Amino acid sequence: MKKILTLLTVVIISLTILHGCETEKKELINLAIVKEKLKEYHTGGKYNTDLNRIIKKAITEFSKITPKENSLVIFDIDETALSNYQFALDYDFGYNEEIWTEWVDSKKATAISEVKILYDMLIEKGFKVVFLTGRNRSHYDATKENLINEGYTKFDTLITRKMDALKTTAVDYKSKERKQLVENGYIIVGTIGDQLSDLEGPYHGIQVKLPNYYYIVK
Ligand SMILES: [Mg+2]
C-alpha cells in the first residue's frame, strides 16, 4: 500500500511538472512570430483602423471646445506626430543610441496622417500646439526640421530633454514641462501621445492615447 501511495505521489508530481511545462509553452510566443505579427498589424490595416477610431473621437471632443488665446494642445513626437516604423524595420525592432541618433539626423520619420488631420483641425480652430518629446536636446535641430518637412509647420515650441532631465522618468520629465507651460500662461486642453507616460501626471487636459505595440517608455 505504501509503495502504491509513493508511486501515485511520483505520478502526480510528474503530471504537475509536465502540466506546468505545457502551460509555459502555451504562454510563450517566439520573438520572430511576434515581430511578424507586429508587421501584419502595421501594414494590414489594423493600425490605421485603430488610429482612425481614436482620432475621430478626439476630433469630436476638441470640437466641443472654443479655444482661448492661450489654449494649448501638447503633442508627443515619436509614434505620435511622426512614425519611426521604417527605423524599426531597418533594425528588426532593435535599438541603441548610435543607430537612433543616425535615424533622427536622417530626418526620415514620416507624419502619421491620421494625427496630422487632428493637428490641422486644431490649428485651424485656433489652438496653440507644443511638441513635447523625450528626444534629447542634441536632436533638437533635426527634429524641428523633420517636423516642418512633414507639414507640422505651426507650433509655439518644441521641447526636448535637457541634460538635467536625462535620468528622470518620462512621466516626471513631461509633467514638469507641462507645469512650466501652465506657469507660462498656457491652458492645456489636451495631450496626445502613444505612451501612458505621455499622458500621466498633472495638467494633461483631454488625454488621447494612440496605439504603440512596439515599445514602452516609462
Ligand atoms: Mg512617443
Side-chain angles (χ1 to χ4, degrees):
M1 185 66 182
K2 199 178 173 185
K3 269 189 181 174
I4 292 171
L5 277 176
T6 308
L7 184 65
L8 198 62
T9 307
V10 170
V11 169
I12 289 169
I13 290 169
S14 302
L15 283 173
T16 306
I17 291 168
L18 277 173
H19 178 71
C21 290
E22 277 301 307
T23 308
E24 199 171 295
K25 267 186 195 169
K26 278 178 191 166
E27 284 174 355
L28 288 174
I29 306 171
N30 190 286
L31 183 58
I33 295 170
V34 174
K35 287 176 183 175
E36 286 310 309
K37 282 186 182 293
L38 286 176
K39 289 178 194 171
E40 201 180 299
Y41 171 74
H42 198 98
T43 53
K46 183 73 170 68
Y47 177 56
N48 296 96
T49 304
D50 287 349
L51 278 173
N52 271 316
R53 175 177 41 80
I54 293 162
I55 294 298
K56 201 175 160 190
K57 187 168 174 260
I59 287 174
T60 304
E61 289 292 304
F62 284 112
S63 296
K64 292 174 191 166
I65 302 169
T66 304
K68 294 180 182 155
E69 201 186 333
N70 51 351
S71 295
L72 174 70
V73 180
I74 295 178
F75 281 73
D76 168 56
I77 295 182
D78 295 307
E79 275 50 71
T80 297
L82 298 176
S83 169
N84 302 295
Y85 184 65
Q86 190 57 50
F87 171 80
L89 285 185
D90 290 350
Y91 295 98
D92 197 28
F93 299 96
Y95 173 90
N96 70 42
E97 270 298 319
E98 195 181 335
I99 57 172
W100 174 245
T101 296
E102 265 177 42
W103 168 256
V104 169
D105 288 344
S106 76
K107 294 162 257 177
K108 285 181 183 167
T110 52
I112 296 177
S113 56
E114 293 83 354
V115 177
K116 180 68 169 41
I117 288 169
L118 173 61
Y119 164 88
D120 287 340
M121 171 263 174
L122 292 169
I123 294 290
E124 172 78 19
K125 218 167 173 269
F127 290 95
K128 297 277 191 337
V129 164
V130 161
F131 288 103
L132 173 55
T133 176
R135 292 185 180 194
N136 299 344
R137 183 66 186 80
S138 59
H139 295 151
Y140 181 92
D141 291 340
T143 301
K144 188 176 178 185
E145 207 179 317
N146 199 161
L147 282 169
I148 291 168
N149 291 347
E150 288 300 305
Y152 296 102
T153 55
K154 293 175 184 167
F155 51 92
D156 275 28
T157 321
L158 160 62
I159 302 171
T160 50
R161 256 187 210 250
K162 296 167 197 79
M163 284 298 282
D164 62 355
L166 288 182
K167 286 186 179 170
T168 54
T169 63
V171 174
D172 287 348
Y173 155 63
K174 293 203 167 184
S175 298
K176 198 176 159 192
E177 293 294 347
R178 287 198 303 270
K179 185 168 178 277
Q180 187 61 57
L181 288 165
V182 170
E183 284 169 8
N184 290 350
Y186 286 108
I187 302 166
I188 300 174
V189 295
T191 304
I192 328 291
D194 63 291
Q195 301 286 324
L196 289 174
S197 57
D198 295 325
L199 311 175
E200 289 170 348
Y203 308 114
H204 48 64
I206 296 169
Q207 295 166 302
V208 181
K209 169 71 174 71
L210 304 177
N212 182 350
Y213 294 104
Y214 312 112
Y215 55 86
I216 294 174
V217 179
K218 289 182 179 173

